[in-house]
Amino acid sequence: MRRRTGAAAQEPSEVPDGRTGAAARESSEVPTGRTGAAARKPSGARTGRVSTAAREPLGVRQGSRRASAFLARRSLATHRRAWAAVIVATGAAAALVGAFAFVVGSLLVAAPPVQRYAGADAVVAADQKVSYTAKPWGSEPRTATAYLPERARLDRSVLAAVAGADGVAKAVADDSVPVSMGDGRPAVGRSWSSAVLTPYELAEGRAPRDATEVVLDGALAAGGHAPGERVVLRAGGAARTYTVSGIARTGAGGDAPPAVFFTEPRLTALAGHPGRIDAIGVVAEPGVSRDALRDAIGAVLPERSGVPGSDRGVRVLTGVERGEAEHVDALGGRGDQLALLGSIGGTVLMVALLVIASTLSQAIHQRSGELALLRAVGASPRQLRSAIGREAGRVSAAAALLGGIGAVPLGLAMRSLLTTDALPLPVPWWLPPAAALTGGLLVALLARPVAMLAARSITRLRPAAALGAATADEPSEPGRFRTVAGAVLAFAGISSAGVATTQSGQAAGAAASGAALSLVIAVALLGPRISRIVLGVLGRPLRRVGGVSGFLAERAASAHTRRLATAFTPIVLVVAFVCVQLASGPTMERASGHQASAALRADLVATGGGAGLPAGAARAVREAPGVTAATGVLRSAVVLADRQAGEPVLTRLPVLGVEARGLSGTLDPGVTAGDLDRLTGRDAVAVGADRAKSLDVGPGDRVALRLGDGTRVEPRVVAVYEHELGLGEFLFPREALAGHVSAARDQAVLIRTGGASGADPAAAVRRALAPYGGGVAVRAATGDDVAIAPPVSDGDNAVIVIGVGVIGGFALLAVVSTLALITVGRRGEFRLLRMVGTGRRQLRRMLVLETGLVTFAGLVIGTAVAAVPLTAFAVSVAGTTPYLPPVHYAVIAGAVALAAAAGTLVPGASAGGRFVLGRRAG
């Protein structure tokens, strides 16, 4: 008597219209897909009441569907534990994809908040975008755009044109300067005439009348200031004492910095650019609509901003667009975040596809014996594929529902990490359902075809061959196509890593990321072959250490290399992805810090808090006793137009503005050609060695750049230096950048001392900076004071949390679900081992040893996969070896070990029930 298994064994008497096997062959009605003798009858032969030729095609299809539905329904009930693990993994994938869709959608509709210009009907400002058009190889011309990092200004003459436009009641020039209170609190200096743009109203006192009077924001006055009192402020030079003439308050402003209002002439003098203004605020006449105001102003505006050297257009901003004039780099930051999330999102899709394919394939593969038996007793390939597709469809529906629900809170958590005061991320009503639908649709669309593809090797067998396959061992080697594909991807990954060593910047990072992804997929495809290598290395030590349990673990792994490969593949994914993400930043940071420290010659540094230090601070420090050199450091950025693979690219590069006077005593960039003493004036620049090589420039050549405010310049190269990773790819004279930054304030003053023994240079420097008021600090200098990239910014932390925490957590969940699925599928194996006398402790120890084998193999292979692209990236970009803090790697290893234990030992205690950990053997 043949013993039936799976779904076929559960309903011995219930045979649907699409039934198979002997019952189907003896029936007078033969369903679609019948096999054996019944299948060999001519189509016109009569059997019983009606011939097959007389059957309507619709009835045939309906019978086949009923058979498939029956098999799917019974199989779902039989394999509910295995499908539960699949639901967890695919639901998590749907949640992750939906969360990324949530954040990307929120970023796409995000706009800077309107605070400072809440009382203005329109704002006129220079365009903050720059473009570059080039013709790629064999294609039409394309244009790349980027946002400028510094404020692009307008010529003051534009103010008169705007004021004369129809419907304009008032046009106000708006400038700002950073201000520091006597106690170090930061504020923004504005003219009293611009207070109407917020709007501020006097709550006490009166407006300022001369250069010695100010009006304080109510938030600043809360410290005890009142009209008539004196207040110390630092704005544009040494601290001065002003008289508080009034206190102003507003209901708008939100989280905007508090303001200090000067007279307009005094504010213009402090700003330092009398012929230019930041923006123009417009108050419309009553009854003038927004569109009419925009058209009227646009009609009188010039095409360009009028600033010499600048080709910026002029924009009229109304409604929510007004916030763009307040936070000039907010949209540039949004573009960077979108590009970064797009890159990570592509990885997320590939990881999700890999996890879904892996779990579904394992779930189907564990039923290969049952599917082969159904095929042997007469089930047609179409019926089996349809039944599996129906199962996967129902499972994917449940996973899509769970994942869609989970996408919303996960997306909100990711949004909270990325939102800033300058760019809060909104949550429109349509975004949560759209994100949930996106993640759910991915699972629904992928699950059914992946499951049907996974069962293809069984369903396409002939019935006689399927009967042998039902009892045969699993194949120990992957198929030819899988082997070839894996080898090609491995070669592509190694080649991409090699290409990364010849690139720099974004190109190197993209090549390294592509190498990591290709190698992970190659490991998944070549897993069975890699498993044999792993067992060849670890099999004998496993048997020696584990005794009987080690022998059982090694034999089980050797008999099921495909299962072993499926087990360690998600661990490889976790380790490779997380190591690449965690090591990239520390590698760059470490190399940058080493180069900056090597270049630093100063032993003290002075900083001025949020308001910075004016140019006069460095001059004052030079005159202090014991100071041999002092150099102010002004930070900015430039935009470089270049081509990558023929495509036009605009790259924003951070730069330093320094003073050549005393530079050799405080900073040594490692000059390889030229002379840094010539780094003076507005027509000079020093270039890093790698960038000079890529641009093919040297001392005496000119390089085309755009400064931070969009001004086109072509300075002459006066020197080439080697410490560009620490100091940036360009060094400018301070005076060349000062007129093209939002606020010409030094972020630091580097100080070299060499006074007589017993003197306290730091105390002398503090006395020299005392006139600059509170907030000034003097301390020992470190490489971080000049390093072009700060150690870790808030944005970097957000990216690390999203890239490592969210995706790494999802990959760990995939480890748990995959291993749990494998363990649940071994119930028969556990029962058999207990029945032949294997003890509980031996089985438990066998599971522990298998978990250790899988964990160790996954860690080693994942580390090797990560090392290839990381080494390529580190060599090409940093010229060093990759670096990952040991504590970080220990956390990765611990998390992987816990996930592997949770996926193996916990379900192992219940998968076999009393046969594994109970007292009875059956």
Side-chain angles (χ1 to χ4, degrees), residues 28 82 103 118 137 184 244-245 374 408 436 467 471 498 510 541 553-554 565 567 625 631 673 714 749 807 846 863 896:
S28 59
V103 174
W137 304 324
V244 179
S245 65
L374 288 172
V408 176
L467 187 60
T471 57
E554 191 273 336
T631 305
E714 291 190 18
V749 176
I807 302 179
M846 182 192 76
T863 303
V896 166

Side-chain angles (χ1 to χ4, degrees), residues 536-899:
V537 175
L538 301 177
R540 183 172 297 177
L542 189 67
R543 291 194 301 271
R544 289 181 177 178
V545 172
V548 173
S549 298
F551 173 79
L552 291 175
E554 191 273 336
R555 287 290 86 199
S558 298
H560 301 280
T561 54
R562 186 186 297 268
R563 185 176 69 193
L564 177 62
T566 303
F568 67 64
T569 295
I571 297 180
V572 172
L573 175 64
V574 173
V575 175
F577 178 81
V578 176
C579 282
V580 168
Q581 294 295 320
L582 286 182
S584 300
T587 299
M588 290 293 297
E589 191 176 313
R590 191 186 192 200
S592 175
H594 284 171
Q595 288 196 11
S597 298
L600 187 65
R601 296 292 180 267
D603 52 357
L604 294 177
V605 63
T607 57
L613 290 169
R619 292 192 295 269
V621 169
R622 292 191 191 102
E623 299 174 358
V627 175
T628 60
T631 305
V633 177
L634 178 66
R635 293 185 182 272
S636 184
V638 297
V639 179
L640 175 66
D642 200 1
R643 294 192 185 190
Q644 292 183 0
E647 295 287 336
V649 176
L650 286 172
T651 307
R652 301 199 312 179
L653 300 172
V655 297
L656 298 181
V658 296
E659 299 172 283
R661 179 182 177 184
L663 180 62
S664 60
T666 58
L667 205 61
D668 179 15
V671 175
T672 59
D675 186 3
L676 279 180
D677 290 338
R678 299 171 57 192
L679 193 64
T680 59
R682 301 177 183 274
D683 190 37
V685 67
V687 186
D690 289 343
R691 180 61 67 178
K693 181 179 179 180
S694 66
L695 296 177
D696 192 21
V697 297
D701 296 329
R702 293 190 176 273
V703 56
L705 297 168
R706 286 182 179 268
L707 298 181
D709 65 347
T711 302
R712 294 177 180 267
V713 294
E714 291 190 18
R716 188 180 301 277
V717 178
V718 299
V720 176
Y721 56 92
E722 60 182 359
H723 292 155
E724 60 183 329
L725 190 62
L727 305 180
E729 300 183 38
F730 296 97
L731 284 176
F732 282 86
R734 187 188 186 282
E735 57 265 36
L737 296 181
H740 304 279
V741 295
S742 300
R745 301 292 186 271
D746 290 336
Q747 279 67 42
V749 176
L750 303 178
I751 306 164
R752 179 68 178 268
T753 62
S757 60
D760 186 0
V765 171
R766 291 189 184 94
R767 287 193 297 271
L769 293 175
Y772 291 88
V776 178
V778 180
R779 53 175 173 77
T782 66
D784 292 339
D785 295 315
V786 294
I788 201 64
V792 178
S793 65
D794 293 340
D796 293 335
N797 282 327
V799 171
I800 290 173
V801 170
I802 291 176
V804 175
V806 178
I807 302 179
F810 164 69
L812 285 175
L813 183 61
V815 171
V816 176
S817 61
T818 302
L819 293 179
L821 177 63
I822 292 173
T823 305
V824 169
R826 299 174 64 187
R827 288 175 293 180
E829 176 185 336
F830 295 152
R831 292 190 184 98
L832 181 60
L833 287 173
R834 287 292 284 135
M835 292 176 67
V836 297
T838 307
R840 288 178 294 140
R841 292 183 180 179
Q842 290 174 326
L843 275 182
R844 186 185 297 113
R845 192 177 182 191
M846 182 192 76
L847 287 175
V848 171
L849 290 173
E850 288 183 354
T851 303
L853 174 65
V854 169
T855 303
F856 183 77
L859 284 172
V860 172
I861 298 171
T863 303
V865 168
V868 173
L870 278 175
T871 302
F873 174 77
V875 169
S876 62
V877 177
T880 183
T881 56
Y883 172 73
L884 179 65
V887 174
H888 291 179
Y889 190 82
V891 171
I892 296 172
V896 166
L898 288 176

Side-chain angles (χ1 to χ4, degrees), residues 446-470:
L446 289 179
R448 184 182 177 98
V450 167
M452 295 174 68
L453 183 63
R456 183 171 176 267
S457 61
I458 297 297
T459 58
R460 67 179 180 178
L461 292 177
R462 294 181 177 274
L467 187 60

Side-chain angles (χ1 to χ4, degrees), residues 203-216:
E204 303 177 49
R206 56 174 176 78
R209 295 175 179 173
D210 56 44
T212 64
E213 294 183 341
V214 295
V215 171
L216 294 183

Side-chain angles (χ1 to χ4, degrees), residues 29-30 231 275 300 346 369 382 447 616 706 882 922:
E29 288 188 49
V30 182
V231 61
V300 300
R382 178 179 296 179
R706 286 182 179 268

Side-chain angles (χ1 to χ4, degrees), residues 452-531:
M452 295 174 68
L453 183 63
R456 183 171 176 267
S457 61
I458 297 297
T459 58
R460 67 179 180 178
L461 292 177
R462 294 181 177 274
L467 187 60
T471 57
D473 293 335
E474 70 172 10
S476 59
E477 302 292 347
R480 182 179 301 175
F481 175 78
R482 183 172 175 175
T483 301
V484 172
V488 170
L489 283 173
F491 177 78
I494 296 174
S495 300
S496 183
V499 170
T501 60
T502 65
Q503 302 294 322
S504 62
Q506 295 180 351
S513 298
L517 192 59
S518 297
L519 290 174
V520 168
I521 299 176
V523 168
L525 294 175
L526 298 176
R529 295 186 182 275
I530 297 174
S531 298

